[in-house]
Amino acid sequence: MVISVASGKGGTGKTTVAVSLALSIENSQIIDCDVEEPNVHLFLNPEIKQEIEVTSVVPEVDKEKCNLCGYCSKVCAYNALSVIKLDSSGDVILFPHLCHGCEGCILLCPEKAMKPAHRGIGMIKIGSFDSLEFIEGRLNISEVLAPKVIEKAKAYAKKDKITIVDAPPGTSCPAVAAIKDSDFCILVTEPTPFGLHDLELAYEVTQALKIKSGVIINKSGDDWLIEGFCRKNKIPVFLKIPFHRKIAEAYSKGIPLVKAMPEYKEIFQKIYKEIREII
């Protein structure tokens, strides 16, 4: 079973929920797919046992074969190639950060002057915290291909374990890459107009992906906006986490919610049982 934890915006408590759920159920693993700013490790301090580089394909030009026809730049949908042709010379310039690794230029070059090369775009870390298995995807600074790192991190999940995916915030490509193929998605929100707006967007993503979802309200207080939306769309509200100083202090020290307040462990176990029943 794969349960993703997502949110329409950052700062709602998504990682708090993902870590707490993973620590509350047996035979589980957690995958930090917020690859641009992974922070699950701050709460678990896992023992890292393996590191794997994530690479993307880029074209390498064989200048002896290349006749500077410019066809590669024409077929590149991302404008990652530029062909400069002068009277007596020229060059093919690659802008690697624009390259999406589709290999179209390599496959379609009339002179077969392109061959695949690889460049690093991120890192996968695999380890454990007690019996909880830990996988983290981390995108290199200045890189943009977050979905590739996310997909690589998810590929290391063990099929016989319950997988908790900590998704990146928002509703763009990285969030979709993390959420897709989940059996269920927990949407974490906060009771503000901004929180409601982004919850609506995140819910639309789960609907488009045909993934069942439920809501956890963090920093709970005046919840009528969120509750009204959930009632209208028949979305279960699993939990309301209060806006409590003790919770904020534990978070600031990197202490998981279920460690700081053990009574929440049973609550998250109950949420897991409810999700199983819904699925």
Side-chain angles (χ1 to χ4, degrees):
M1 180 188 295
V2 180
I3 301 172
S4 54
V5 182
S7 61
K9 63 181 289 292
T12 60
K14 174 174 51 62
T15 300
T16 295
V17 169
V19 170
S20 297
L21 182 60
L23 289 172
S24 298
I25 55 182
E26 296 180 357
N27 192 37
S28 62
Q29 60 190 341
I30 187 166
I31 307 178
D32 194 342
C33 286
D34 189 0
V35 300
E36 293 177 80
E37 194 174 0
N39 61 354
V40 168
H41 69 283
L42 298 176
F43 296 92
L44 298 179
N45 192 25
E47 178 188 355
I48 302 301
K49 301 173 183 177
Q50 189 178 7
E51 295 187 0
I52 305 111
E53 185 181 31
V54 182
T55 62
S56 181
V57 174
V58 291
E60 186 176 283
V61 182
D62 185 339
K63 294 186 178 181
E64 291 185 1
K65 293 182 178 179
C66 179
N67 64 1
L68 302 173
C69 70
Y71 191 69
C72 57
S73 65
K74 292 178 182 178
V75 301
C76 182
Y78 304 101
N79 299 311
L81 287 163
S82 180
V83 179
I84 299 174
K85 192 172 183 179
L86 305 175
D87 291 339
S88 58
S89 63
D91 201 1
V92 178
I93 300 173
L94 170 69
F95 301 96
H97 285 79
L98 296 179
C99 179
H100 281 56
C102 71
E103 302 185 46
C105 57
I106 298 169
L107 294 168
L108 299 174
C109 175
E111 304 300 320
K112 304 300 179 186
M114 295 268 189
K115 61 181 180 180
H118 296 83
R119 69 182 189 91
I121 60 169
M123 186 71 67
I124 305 298
K125 295 184 179 182
I126 300 174
S128 62
F129 171 79
D130 294 336
S131 61
L132 175 63
E133 298 203 16
F134 168 84
I135 302 170
E136 175 190 275
R138 185 178 290 264
L139 188 69
N140 289 348
I141 293 171
S142 82
E143 296 293 343
V144 298
L145 298 180
K148 284 200 172 188
V149 180
I150 290 169
E151 289 163 5
K152 189 73 170 181
K154 290 170 68 176
Y156 285 96
K158 294 182 178 178
K159 303 297 183 184
D160 61 339
K161 289 187 172 290
I162 300 159
T163 303
I164 309 301
V165 174
D166 184 18
T171 56
S172 60
C173 295
V176 172
I179 295 169
K180 73 175 183 180
D181 303 321
S182 298
D183 297 300
F184 194 89
C185 184
I186 297 174
L187 300 172
V188 185
T189 188
E190 55 192 22
T192 63
F194 194 12
L196 173 62
H197 173 268
D198 289 341
L199 172 63
E200 291 173 345
L201 295 177
Y203 177 65
E204 286 178 13
V205 171
T206 63
Q207 290 292 98
L209 295 174
K210 294 181 171 54
I211 298 171
K212 294 180 179 180
S213 61
V215 165
I216 288 180
I217 303 174
N218 192 22
K219 307 170 191 173
S220 176
D222 193 0
D223 301 331
W224 64 273
L225 276 173
I226 305 298
E227 290 179 319
F229 173 77
C230 291
R231 279 196 302 270
K232 180 180 177 181
N233 292 280
K234 298 180 181 179
I235 309 168
V237 177
F238 293 131
L239 174 64
K240 298 179 181 180
I241 302 174
F243 200 7
H244 198 287
R245 184 181 181 87
K246 185 176 179 180
I247 296 173
E249 287 179 349
Y251 180 88
S252 69
K253 295 174 183 177
I255 302 172
L257 176 60
V258 293
K259 297 290 186 182
M261 304 174 73
E263 63 270 24
Y264 272 93
K265 185 171 184 178
E266 187 176 340
I267 293 172
F268 278 99
Q269 288 172 342
K270 182 181 177 183
I271 291 171
Y272 171 65
K273 290 178 182 177
E274 290 180 27
I275 290 172
R276 286 182 63 92
E277 290 174 2
I278 292 171
I279 293 175

